[in-house]
């Protein structure tokens, strides 16, 4: 885990208390049981930073997840908030129900690329359509960690498993899909990019609607070999990374900073490479077609566009369209949810 | 009775056979999509308004238009409302099935038919009434579209004359259906008059069947079970409704939505005190319901067997994580295509144990619209009291058919929201442990997100009593043992059975849900035909009350009547009863896709008890019992 001292560098944590009157430790969770150096741990840290910076009250937060390494992580941040570890791929429905019950809750969902792109693609699709107010983070490492390294639907064509099996199927680009489905906040980031990810998370918390963030988050244990992304030849021509596999230095998060618009090559623990393209300053994140084109073009070049890709800040969120009473439905007293006898009498008269 | 004699005298062309009054079945055979439902409901309601006990069973295909459909109306002065196998009056409007429909009738039955079908040559032991429907339609209106819509109303007119159903009651029924549309009422009334006049001029009454006014329906209503359940859900204070359309449950949520929009919108602000979401599938529907209940709302979903299957994983999570939810299962024949629009009681075992691991779910078995109403409220109270998913097992027969019912009473108990932690409770229990059995009843206290009560992390099987993640064997065992204790506690909270003990009886009958109505009639038949006394235990819930064993113990044989092939409820009982008592259970099973009838029960018990060697002579099979073939 990253020490508190480190996180202060790029966050306002140097102010000791936030606007909720809380100090940073109030946003911490349980000790992580994920692999040391796992990108997911870094994301948890950024969520802590962002919630602290945004002054979110932990007792208004609900943390939701499905199943997988990513979905374990809500136990590792905001320990005094309620959490719900749902079934595989079905976290969006649980979050939907909870927000119907209480629209004042701040929902943070954490999913993975398998949890979202495979078993949960149906619920993901409808979550994007509904524009439910939830921060939906996909911790995307292109493989299943908890079941030991199978391909997920975001794995690139030609990437390999540790066993040498090659992925022949095209990846699902969750960001492009989300935009097509009508999502109103779509971002992509990298677990090692503290500055950008914290900024994206803060913006997501401020967004009223579904804020979908695909965070590239390397799996240090099962994707730690060359050839796992674009260059099969590169994998073959490099040393076997298995020697590094079991050595994942504690405290060592993958870290990269680069200027907007620049393409940056990031070499992972495993030697596979990610190309991160920052959106340049002229980019208009409210232009859906432009956003889709950039996603496709960068993908064709074997790169990843990161940052805030698309946003539609004024779109009506799902709860608003339901025209609910101001108080949370869960807190309505009996007198407001059980109609009086006159109503039953009227119904009975109509059926008589 | 005097009224009876007078009525007979007034009938100038009554048949020579003794009149059969208020005790017969009418079957209308039409093509699906031809708009016969209105005519059938008007006929049913008119008979109801005349004070005669009546029931309706719609047998319809999984189809929008084109396949055959049969609607059966049974009038019975004794109040029997189960399906009756024998049809006494047939209205044959469907050329495709007319021949088979006629061949299946018992001798002496009456047939009103579309004249061009030429059915009268098929049998010489029936009474035939040809009616030239198309020619009569020309008299009603020149508008082709309108004519098509009222074509079926003509047979109501014909029947009103032949059977003595009051035309004004029919018009009143029309007004009930088309309240705000006087023009529609008027043209339908015209069709009724044309049909009635034709019968008066051209048809000699030669069958013995008559409807005569009674006074049996005072204070009663007509309602479908799904509508009754919807009213119950609204009165239970439901706030989150999540569902996915599936026959035969859709009308429950659709009716509920109508009522909620009418009665649960804040008058001052125009805002809703409820949320309804049509989910992407049943998995999401239950996920949303659980999410809602976890966050403190009264949540529900409604589905049928295939949806229940999809809900399996979430149902298990609900059980282990101890999250309330109300799930209506309007049972039907399943799976996939074929008989989704036919009734069954086939989900008893699949719901009782739904999911993986050691799961058990409380089940409620309504038999009437009144119980759909009351058990909807029970289900919410039980789900929150026991913090677990509760299933209400209705079926297509109850849910979608129109039933007579007593008016529903206003609930006398306040909502039971169960053990939800507030400051006062927290002080009482000391330190909060989400899965701690503080009170010795197996039911822990829960806190709700968004309140000041301490939080916990909600997850499946792996947690200790403090709600912390644990994979320890002793934590797991301790937890599932407590869950078993909780289920034991639930026994005495479940709706009690209705038990009728006949001290002379050596034979007992157990039934649940809609099988009840055929049992009521079957027991009378057993007494009349074989002087066989029976005791009766109408089961209303699972887990069973402890008295079940002593009921079985009282009798040599106990017949469990149910509408499935595998004796599902009897199997569930055998798991709990001692071997000696389990050995006394026998089964009466009916799984034809149509509602069970009394004759099936009577014959089956008489054969098993050695009174008879075989079933009483059956009439020809109705085509719907043979099924719709050759699509």
């Amino acid at each position: 885990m990253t020490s508190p001292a480190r996180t202060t560098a790029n966050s306002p944590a140097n102010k000791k208390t936030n606007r909720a009157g809380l100090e940073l430790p109030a946003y911490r969770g349980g000790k992580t049981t994920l692999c040391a150096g796992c990108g997911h741990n870094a994301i948890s840290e950024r969520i802590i930073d962002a919630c602290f910076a945004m002054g979110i009250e932990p007792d208004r937060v609900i943390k939701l997840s499905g199943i997988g390494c990513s979905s374990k992580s809500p136990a590792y941040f905001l320990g005094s908030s309620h959490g719900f570890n749902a079934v595989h791929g079905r976290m969006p429905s649980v979050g939907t129900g909870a927000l119907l019950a209480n629209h004042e809750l701040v929902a943070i969902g954490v999913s993975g690329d398998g949890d979202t792109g495979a078993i949960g693609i149906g619920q993901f699709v409808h979550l994007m359509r509904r524009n439910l107010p939830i921060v939906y983070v996909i911790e995307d490492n292109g493989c299943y960690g908890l079941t030991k390294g199978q391909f997920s639907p975001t794995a690139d064509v030609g990437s390999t498993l540790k066993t040498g099996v090659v992925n022949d199927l095209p990846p699902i680009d969750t960001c492009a899909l989300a935009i097509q489905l009508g999502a109103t906040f779509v971002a992509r980031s990298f677990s090692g990019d503290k500055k950008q990810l914290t900024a994206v998370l803060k913006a997501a918390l401020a967004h009223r609607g579904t804020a979908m963030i695909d965070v590239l988050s390397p799996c240090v244990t099962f994707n730690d070999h060359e050839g796992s992304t674009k260059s099969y030849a590169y994998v073959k021509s490099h040393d076997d990374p298995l020697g590094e596999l079991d050595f994942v230095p504690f405290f060592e998060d993958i870290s990269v900073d680069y200027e907007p618009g620049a393409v940056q090559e990031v070499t992972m623990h495993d030697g596979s490479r990610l190309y991160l393209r920052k959106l340049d300053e002229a980019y208009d994140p409210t232009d859906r077609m432009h956003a889709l084109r950039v996603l496709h073009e960068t993908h064709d070049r074997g790169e990843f566009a990161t940052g805030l890709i698309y946003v539609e800040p004024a779109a009506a969120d799902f709860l608003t369209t339901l025209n609910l009473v101001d108080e949370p439905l869960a807190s309505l007293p009996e007198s407001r949810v059980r109609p009086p006898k006159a109503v039953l009498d009227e119904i009975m008269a109509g059926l008589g | 009775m005097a009224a009876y004699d007078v009525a007979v005298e007034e009938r100038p062309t009554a048949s020579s056979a003794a009149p059969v009054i208020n005790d017969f079945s009418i079957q209308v055979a039409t093509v699906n999509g031809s708009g016969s439902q209105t005519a059938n409901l008007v006929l049913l309601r008119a008979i109801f308004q005349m004070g005669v006990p009546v029931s309706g069973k719609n047998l319809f295909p999984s189809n929008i238009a084109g396949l055959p459909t049969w609607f059966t109306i049974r009038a019975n002065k004794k109040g029997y409302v189960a399906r009756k196998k024998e049809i006494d009056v047939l209205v044959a409007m469907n050329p495709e099935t007319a021949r088979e429909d006629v061949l299946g009738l018992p001798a002496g039955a009456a047939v009103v038919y579309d004249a061009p079908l030429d059915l009268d040559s098929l049998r010489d032991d029936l009474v035939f009434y040809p009616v030239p429907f198309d020619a009569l339609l020309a008299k009603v209106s020149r508008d082709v579209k309108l004519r098509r819509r009222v074509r079926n109303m003509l047979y109501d007119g014909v029947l009103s004359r032949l059977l003595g159903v009051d035309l004004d009651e029919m018009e009143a029924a029309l007004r009930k259906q088309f309240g705000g549309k006087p023009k529609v009422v008027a043209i339908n009334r015209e069709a009724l008059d044309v049909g009635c006049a034709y019968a008066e001029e051209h048809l000699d009454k030669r069958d013995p069947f008559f409807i005569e006014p009674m006074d049996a329906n005072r204070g009663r209503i007509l309602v479908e079970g799904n509508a009754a359940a919807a009213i119950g859900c609204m009165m239970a204070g439901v706030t989150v409704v999540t569902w996915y359309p599936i026959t035969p449950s859709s009308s429950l949520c659709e009716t509920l939505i109508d009522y909620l929009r009418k009665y649960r919108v804040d008058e001052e602000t125009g805002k809703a005190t409820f949320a309804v979401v049509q989910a992407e599938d049943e998995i999401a529907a239950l996920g949303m319901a659980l999410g809602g209940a976890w966050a403190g709302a009264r949540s529900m979903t409604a589905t049928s067997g295939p949806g229940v299957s999809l809900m399996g994983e979430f149902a298990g999570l609900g059980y282990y994580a101890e999250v309330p939810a109300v799930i209506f299962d309007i049972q039907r024949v399943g799976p996939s295509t074929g008989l989704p629009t036919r009734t069954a009681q086939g989900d008893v075992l699949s719901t009782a144990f739904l999911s993986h691991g050691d799961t058990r779910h409380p089940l409620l078995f309504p038999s009437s619209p009144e119980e759909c109403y009351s058990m909807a409220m029970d289900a919410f109270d039980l789900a929150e009291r026991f913090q677990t998913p509760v299933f209400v097992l209705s079926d297509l027969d109850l849910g979608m058919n129109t039933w007579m019912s007593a008016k529903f009473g206003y609930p006398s108990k306040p909502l039971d929201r169960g053990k939800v932690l507030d400051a006062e409770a927290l002080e009482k229990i000391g330190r909060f442990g989400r899965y701690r059995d503080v009170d010795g009843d197996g039911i822990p206290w829960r806190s709700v997100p968004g309140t000041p009560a301490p939080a916990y992390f909600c997850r499946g099987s792996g947690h200790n009593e403090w709600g912390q993640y644990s994979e320890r064997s002793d934590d797991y065992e301790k937890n599932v043992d407590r869950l078993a204790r909780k289920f034991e506690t639930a026994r005495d909270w479940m709706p009690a059975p209705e038990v009728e003990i006949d001290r002379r009886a050596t034979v007992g009958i157990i039934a649940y849900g809609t099988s009840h109505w055929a049992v009521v009639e079957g027991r009378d038949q057993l007494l009349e035909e074989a002087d066989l006394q029976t005791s009766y235990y109408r089961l209303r819930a699972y887990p069973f009350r402890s008295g079940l064993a002593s009921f079985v113990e009282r009798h040599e044989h106990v017949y469990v009547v149910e509408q499935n092939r595998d004796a599902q409820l009897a199997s569930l009982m055998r798991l709990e009863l001692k071997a000696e008592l389990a050995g006394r259970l026998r089964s009466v099973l009916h799984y034809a896709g149509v509602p069970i009838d009394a004759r099936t029960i009577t014959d089956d018990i008489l054969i098993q008890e050695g009174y008879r060697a075989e079933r009483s002579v059956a009439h020809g099979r109705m085509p719907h019992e043979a099924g719709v073939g050759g699509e």
Side-chain angles (χ1 to χ4, degrees):
Chain A
M1 242 200 317
T2 314
S3 70
R6 279 194 60 177
T7 59
T8 57
N10 295 313
S11 72
N14 41 6
K15 276 197 291 175
K16 227 174 168 214
T17 58
N18 65 10
R19 65 186 179 125
L22 296 168
E23 296 185 15
L24 187 75
Y27 292 85
R28 298 204 177 285
K31 187 177 182 303
T32 179
T33 61
L34 298 171
C35 306
C38 174
H40 300 355
N41 288 333
I43 298 170
S44 294
E45 290 299 324
R46 301 294 83 73
I47 292 172
I48 291 168
D49 289 347
C51 286
F52 172 74
M54 295 290 284
I56 306 284
E57 295 158 32
D59 60 7
R60 279 183 56 213
V61 173
I62 51 170
K63 305 173 293 179
L64 303 142
S65 61
I67 295 293
C69 290
S70 59
S71 296
K72 288 165 88 76
S73 69
Y76 316 138
F77 59 84
L78 273 66
S80 61
S81 301
H82 278 268
F84 199 137
N85 200 168
V87 295
H88 202 8
R90 322 294 181 191
M91 167 262 280
S93 60
V94 174
T96 304
L99 288 168
L100 297 175
N102 186 345
H103 60 80
E104 292 175 354
L105 297 172
V106 176
I108 301 173
V110 179
S111 181
D113 37 303
D115 194 63
T116 286
I119 192 168
I121 194 77
Q123 296 212 347
F124 173 75
V125 162
H126 293 278
L127 179 70
M128 295 305 122
R129 287 180 63 220
R130 291 196 181 102
N131 200 29
L132 184 82
I134 182 174
V135 176
Y136 187 91
V137 177
I138 304 172
E139 301 187 339
D140 184 357
N141 56 20
C143 72
Y144 289 82
L146 211 52
T147 52
K148 299 189 189 266
Q150 300 83 357
F151 282 128
S152 88
T154 64
D156 286 310
V157 172
S159 65
T160 61
L161 291 183
K162 273 162 101 176
T163 55
V165 177
V166 182
N167 175 42
D168 295 324
L169 299 177
I172 291 173
D173 183 336
T174 50
C175 290
L177 182 61
I179 292 170
Q180 178 163 11
L181 291 166
T184 57
F185 182 111
V186 177
R188 177 164 276 143
S189 192
F190 171 48
S191 63
D193 188 343
K194 274 187 199 173
K195 194 173 161 191
Q196 186 195 60
L197 180 52
T198 308
V200 164
L201 283 165
K202 283 195 273 189
L205 285 165
H207 181 66
R208 184 73 188 169
T210 305
M212 181 279 189
I213 311 169
D214 182 56
V215 188
L216 301 166
S217 177
C219 174
V220 293
T221 302
F222 293 106
N223 232 354
D224 196 17
H225 53 277
E226 291 192 11
S228 70
T229 54
K230 308 288 182 281
S231 169
Y232 188 70
Y234 184 87
V235 179
K236 279 192 134 181
S237 63
H238 283 67
D239 290 343
D240 183 0
L242 288 172
E244 288 176 53
L245 255 184
D246 295 325
F247 177 70
V248 183
F250 196 60
F251 290 132
E252 187 173 327
D253 283 315
I254 310 146
S255 205
V256 61
D257 284 302
Y258 43 92
E259 292 308 308
V263 178
Q264 208 153 351
E265 182 184 326
V266 178
T267 305
M268 301 300 203
H269 282 273
D270 57 6
S272 49
R273 294 147 297 156
L274 291 174
Y275 293 93
L276 301 169
R277 173 171 287 284
K278 285 259 180 165
L279 306 172
D280 64 42
E281 311 259 336
Y283 182 74
D284 177 5
T286 63
D287 183 337
R288 182 179 280 134
M289 293 312 291
H290 191 178
L292 283 170
R293 198 172 68 239
V294 166
L295 284 171
H296 284 291
E297 285 172 358
T298 47
H299 179 261
D300 285 348
R301 292 197 300 273
E303 301 168 356
F304 294 96
T306 71
L308 182 58
I309 294 167
Y310 179 72
V311 67
E312 192 183 338
D317 74 282
F318 188 55
L319 300 176
T320 303
T321 59
L322 291 174
N323 193 30
L324 306 176
V325 290
D326 296 340
E327 309 88 325
L329 294 180
S331 67
L332 294 176
E334 180 170 332
S335 59
R336 294 192 62 192
V337 296
R338 170 173 279 173
K341 186 166 181 299
V343 164
L344 186 66
D345 291 345
E346 182 182 309
I347 295 171
M348 289 301 109
L351 296 168
Chain B
M1 290 191 328
Y4 167 104
D5 293 332
V6 171
V8 172
E9 277 173 73
E10 277 185 354
R11 260 177 240 120
T13 56
S15 91
S16 53
V20 177
I21 295 161
N22 297 343
D23 184 14
F24 59 94
S25 280
I26 306 161
Q27 185 165 67
V28 181
T30 50
V31 179
N32 200 30
S34 65
S36 56
Q37 187 77 344
T38 301
N40 298 333
L41 289 176
V42 162
L43 178 59
L44 182 136
R45 183 166 269 287
I47 296 171
F48 171 78
Q49 286 164 185
M50 289 174 73
V52 180
V54 67
S55 57
K57 307 277 185 210
N58 187 18
L59 193 106
F60 59 103
S62 177
N63 165 257
I64 298 302
L67 288 180
T69 177
W70 294 268
F71 194 95
T72 308
I73 294 170
R74 180 181 187 186
N76 185 275
K77 58 191 169 206
K78 291 185 184 168
Y80 295 143
V81 293
R83 185 176 75 94
K84 180 165 97 83
K85 272 188 174 173
E86 304 78 17
I87 301 303
D88 303 297
V89 178
L90 172 72
V91 179
M93 302 293 283
N94 184 355
E96 262 189 63
T97 65
R99 192 185 143 82
E100 270 190 282
D101 288 339
V102 166
L103 292 177
L105 292 171
V111 184
V112 172
Y113 67 101
D114 195 9
L117 294 177
D118 268 340
L119 300 175
D120 52 345
S121 58
L122 288 173
R123 298 261 300 257
D124 54 12
D125 57 348
L126 304 177
V127 180
F128 285 97
Y129 299 112
V131 178
F133 283 95
D134 288 332
L136 293 183
L137 259 188
K139 294 184 186 176
V140 180
S141 170
R142 290 188 181 281
D143 184 329
V144 178
K145 253 171 107 181
L146 267 180
R147 272 157 56 172
R148 206 182 77 83
R149 285 194 204 146
V150 301
R151 192 170 192 266
N152 289 308
M153 208 51 68
L154 290 170
Y155 66 68
D156 274 5
V158 171
L159 293 177
S160 81
R161 173 67 191 171
L162 286 176
L163 303 177
V165 182
D166 194 323
L167 269 183
D168 291 337
E169 294 294 358
M170 284 192 171
E171 188 181 322
L174 275 173
R175 277 200 302 272
K176 196 111 190 163
Q177 194 143 344
F178 299 111
K181 299 173 184 164
K183 276 187 184 168
V184 179
V185 174
I187 188 162
N188 278 288
R189 170 71 203 224
E190 218 181 313
L192 287 175
D193 288 336
V194 169
C196 183
Y198 177 82
E200 194 172 353
E201 272 176 52
H202 300 282
L203 304 178
D204 278 343
K205 173 80 176 177
R206 283 170 289 119
D207 68 81
F209 305 108
F210 292 97
I211 295 291
E212 284 184 6
M214 286 175 62
D215 191 17
N217 297 340
R218 200 166 289 231
R220 279 180 172 169
I221 56 170
L222 279 181
V223 66
E224 302 88 28
N226 281 352
I231 298 166
C233 292
M234 178 172 69
M235 300 308 288
V238 68
T239 47
V240 171
V241 182
T242 52
W243 67 298
Y244 185 78
I246 181 170
T247 304
S249 82
S250 302
S251 62
L252 196 166
C253 287
E254 284 166 338
T255 312
L256 178 56
I257 292 165
D258 290 345
Y259 281 129
L260 290 172
R261 283 186 181 152
K262 191 161 179 194
Y263 297 117
R264 286 276 301 277
V265 170
D266 193 286
E267 276 181 24
E268 278 174 32
T269 62
K271 292 181 174 179
T273 61
F274 63 89
V276 180
V277 178
Q278 185 182 318
E280 53 269 37
D281 56 29
E282 289 90 342
I283 302 174
L286 183 55
M288 289 176 193
L290 288 171
W294 168 66
R298 289 210 136 180
S299 305
M300 65 165 284
T301 182
T303 188
S304 192
V308 167
S309 306
L310 288 180
M311 291 174 180
E313 190 179 15
F314 258 134
L317 182 67
Y319 175 83
Y320 275 94
E322 300 182 62
V323 184
V326 171
I327 305 166
F328 284 86
D329 175 6
I330 316 302
Q331 297 167 97
R332 64 180 220 193
V333 179
S336 187
T337 50
L339 278 74
T341 59
R342 309 303 162 88
T343 196
Q345 294 180 314
D347 298 345
V348 176
L349 288 175
S350 64
T351 49
F353 300 112
L354 187 66
S355 203
H356 41 268
D358 286 314
T359 47
R360 289 200 179 196
H361 306 290
L363 314 176
L364 301 177
F365 301 111
S367 335
S368 61
E370 237 182 318
E371 284 187 339
C372 288
Y373 168 73
S374 64
M375 285 186 180
M377 291 185 283
D378 292 339
F380 283 98
D381 284 354
L382 290 165
E384 292 196 320
R385 169 58 45 187
F386 291 95
Q387 301 174 22
T388 199
V390 171
F391 287 87
V392 184
L393 292 195
S394 176
D395 62 29
L396 182 144
D397 181 21
L398 179 55
M400 290 187 74
N401 282 324
T402 304
W403 296 70
M404 295 186 304
S405 170
K407 282 184 178 164
F408 307 155
Y410 194 72
S412 53
K413 291 184 300 181
L415 309 180
D416 180 0
R417 305 301 310 266
K419 297 186 189 178
V420 178
L421 202 65
D422 54 19
E424 193 188 329
L426 187 56
E427 196 173 321
K428 203 179 84 185
I429 66 168
R431 187 181 158 201
F432 171 57
R434 171 65 182 95
Y435 299 107
R436 255 178 92 206
D437 186 5
V438 186
D439 306 311
D441 55 4
I443 310 168
W445 286 79
R446 69 180 178 125
S447 62
V448 167
T451 68
Y456 68 100
F457 202 97
C458 184
R459 49 163 73 87
S461 54
H463 51 71
N464 62 18
E465 62 181 357
W466 302 105
Q468 296 157 334
Y469 184 81
S470 169
E471 297 183 18
R472 291 171 60 104
S473 301
D474 53 352
D475 282 338
Y476 180 76
E477 279 179 344
K478 194 172 170 187
N479 193 51
V480 291
D481 287 345
R482 180 186 53 77
L483 284 167
R485 223 160 45 239
K486 184 170 86 166
F487 203 70
E488 278 303 308
T489 304
R491 261 182 218 287
D492 294 331
W493 289 67
M494 304 306 290
E498 281 189 351
V499 188
E500 236 181 277
I501 300 284
D502 185 324
R503 298 200 176 278
R504 302 159 299 174
T506 58
V507 169
I509 297 176
I510 296 176
Y512 59 99
T514 50
S515 300
H516 166 64
W517 303 101
V519 170
V520 169
E521 191 176 350
R523 290 179 69 212
D524 287 350
Q525 289 175 348
L526 288 167
L527 208 54
E528 284 160 22
E529 296 171 22
D531 197 26
L532 180 64
Q533 290 99 8
T534 55
S535 297
Y536 181 35
Y537 188 100
R538 182 164 76 83
L539 190 112
R540 302 206 302 152
Y542 173 77
F544 310 126
R545 291 271 186 144
S546 46
L548 176 68
S550 57
F551 178 83
V552 176
E553 200 156 22
R554 275 177 166 275
H555 303 95
E556 287 174 23
H557 301 140
V558 174
Y559 291 87
V560 184
V561 180
E562 43 189 327
Q563 299 176 64
N564 58 63
R565 185 195 64 186
D566 291 342
Q568 296 192 17
L569 188 81
S571 305
L572 204 50
M573 289 176 173
R574 286 193 178 97
L575 291 176
E576 293 202 8
L577 293 172
K578 282 187 271 181
E580 193 272 317
L581 294 182
R584 299 185 190 192
L585 298 184
R586 296 178 170 189
S587 278
V588 175
L589 303 170
H590 184 275
Y591 43 93
V594 290
I596 189 171
D597 60 288
R599 181 51 56 195
T600 293
I601 298 170
T602 305
D603 284 0
D604 211 334
I605 291 179
L606 288 179
I607 291 167
Q608 292 195 55
E609 286 295 309
Y611 285 75
R612 267 186 209 160
E614 55 189 28
R615 290 179 177 280
S616 50
V617 180
H619 303 290
R621 284 167 81 83
M622 292 305 295
H624 58 263
E625 288 180 72
V628 177
E631 198 180 322

